[in-house]
Amino acid sequence: MRAILITLCCLVMLQGSAHAADSIALKHGAHRAGKRTDADMQRWREHGLGQFVHWGVYAIPGGHWEGKYYPGAAEWIRSWREMPKKAYDNLYKQFNPTDFDARRWAKQAKDMGAKYVIFTTKHHDGFCLWPSKYTKYTVAGTPYKSDIVGQIVSAYTAEGIDVHLYFSIIDWSHKGYRSAPPQTPKERAAYEEFKAFTANQLEELLTAYPAIKGLWFDGSWDKAWVEQSPWVDTLGMKLRAMHPGLIIGSRFRADEYGKRHYDTNGNLIDDYDQTWERDIPESISALKGNDWDCAMTIPENQWGYHSEWKGYVKTSADLLEMLVRCVAMDGNLVVNFGPDGRGSIRPEEAAIAREMGEWMQANGEAIYGASHAALKQQGWGYFTKKGDKLYAAVFNRPVSNLLSIEFPRDAALPVKAYFLADGKPVEIVDAGRNKRNSRLYKLAIPPEYVASKPFVIVIETLQSAEAEEGYQQAKT
Ligand code: JFZ
């Protein structure tokens, strides 16, 4: 009996699209082993920097209700017991952002150096910033009336910025929506309606805005949604068939065992790892070779507009360091903006955009299309690489002005170094070998070099034999 069972188990395990010998057959796990190799995904991978925009009716109260301060994330204020649901659900009647100018936002994002934007079409409250025909709770029913998603898609696309649409699976406005799995036949029927509604809205978005590049899902952790994994998988395939090249992160669906992001066999579900939110991995090994991005807030945990930020607010230097860290581990950083109820970007965010943009203008070469460099991490900063160039982004300038670098013995060796911003040369000092026979060098920053911001040194490399010669020549 036991032998029969084991044989049966083995047969079951051999079926399906298992990737490795020790993996189990999954119908709704990862559908691909390794990274996507197509041009659309390659383009996404090279973005480096993105902008996130959280906008909706929550921007009107801006984290306050009747004089009281809401300490949570502003876009969650509806769930606060101090704010009556009814009051929240009527906010749309006041939604009239007369300052909104999609072209101004897009220009600002472009000047910041963002290559893609993720824009909230619908957050957990269910309010739609496009005139969806499947609900009345949309921008069309507000005094503003006009389609906001449409304006965003055209303005950003015109600036050469790729648009990805944020879509919340959680929808507090739909009567069939629920977080826990439906139990009674009535609940099940209502949930089926919610599923159909969700699918309709997603198809509607892809049809109305064919220029978009991807969908950024959120709120898919609900047990009710996780339980629907085979259906969600089929929906995903339909969306991909409708929109070739579509990019979807790992926060859309679970496998049939309820595993999210990484399936039961440990393979990434869909196109990139979406678990890095307000968090950056310690080392590239945590990514297991997958694409990823990090969505980051400027204050601690505020996505929608909160008129009063409390706690530590990140500076442009903090965000630039995060950006370089992400790119050094083959990821993108997406910086969040929360415009106010009138459609204005707050001054603190405008300043961040400007400062990051100035830095990107001078140093973007070390970011766009750059990737992980397999060199030992150093305390002064981070390495990225592109072709035969290495970029040393310096965030902690040593008092000695000497930057240690270490090259594995068979790596291409450094032959020339200079500041990315102005091309001024940087001396490469040969510091011998360590006991592993790695080649050690020091980059000598001229003591008179003044930098009020992080800076980048380009290191040109040549493969060993050539390098040996080049280096000897460079010394003469
Ligand atoms: C979600 C939303 O609830 C929030 O309002 C915002 O839109 C953000 C981008 O996404 O919040 C999350 C989702 C996932 C994690 C943390 C906050 N997470 O995986 O750590």
Side-chain angles (χ1 to χ4, degrees), residues 177 210 258 279 338 377 410:
Y177 165 75
D279 194 14
Q377 166 88 44
D410 47 3

Side-chain angles (χ1 to χ4, degrees), residues 52 54 75-76 123-124 166 216 218 221 251 275 277 303:
F52 213 134
H54 272 74
E75 72 281 6
W76 276 83
H123 204 262
H124 308 335
Y166 167 108
W216 203 96
D218 195 15
W221 49 79
R251 204 189 284 173
T275 60
E277 182 163 308
W303 299 88

Side-chain angles (χ1 to χ4, degrees), residues 205-318:
L205 284 171
L206 291 183
T207 309
Y209 313 111
I212 69 152
K213 305 290 184 198
L215 294 170
W216 203 96
F217 288 98
D218 195 15
S220 53
W221 49 79
D222 282 335
K223 261 256 167 64
W225 184 257
V226 167
E227 237 183 31
Q228 297 295 327
S229 67
W231 177 82
V232 182
D233 190 13
T234 310
L235 171 62
M237 288 183 201
K238 192 168 177 196
L239 299 175
R240 288 184 190 280
M242 281 179 75
H243 199 97
L246 187 70
I247 295 171
I248 299 178
S250 64
R251 204 189 284 173
F252 178 46
R253 62 184 180 92
D255 75 4
E256 57 263 56
Y257 293 96
K259 285 275 287 170
R260 301 180 59 240
H261 299 288
Y262 285 86
D263 71 15
T264 302
N265 293 323
N267 295 312
L268 181 74
I269 299 177
D270 290 323
D271 303 328
Y272 64 95
D273 181 338
Q274 229 181 321
T275 60
W276 301 97
E277 182 163 308
R278 295 193 299 118
D279 194 14
I280 297 172
E282 286 297 322
S283 107
I284 194 169
S285 60
L287 283 324
K288 302 181 198 146
N290 293 299
D291 285 310
W292 66 287
D293 74 1
C294 166
M296 187 57 72
T297 50
I298 296 172
E300 210 170 293
N301 183 24
Q302 294 292 346
W303 299 88
Y305 176 75
H306 198 303
S307 63
E308 221 179 319
W309 281 348
K310 290 202 174 148
Y312 186 74
V313 177
K314 292 169 198 77
T315 64
S316 52
D318 289 331

Side-chain angles (χ1 to χ4, degrees), residues 403-426:
L403 303 175
S404 298
I405 48 178
E406 178 179 331
F407 285 69
R409 64 172 156 187
D410 47 3
L413 297 177
V415 289
K416 191 177 166 192
Y418 50 90
F419 291 102
L420 178 56
D422 59 17
K424 292 222 174 80
V426 173

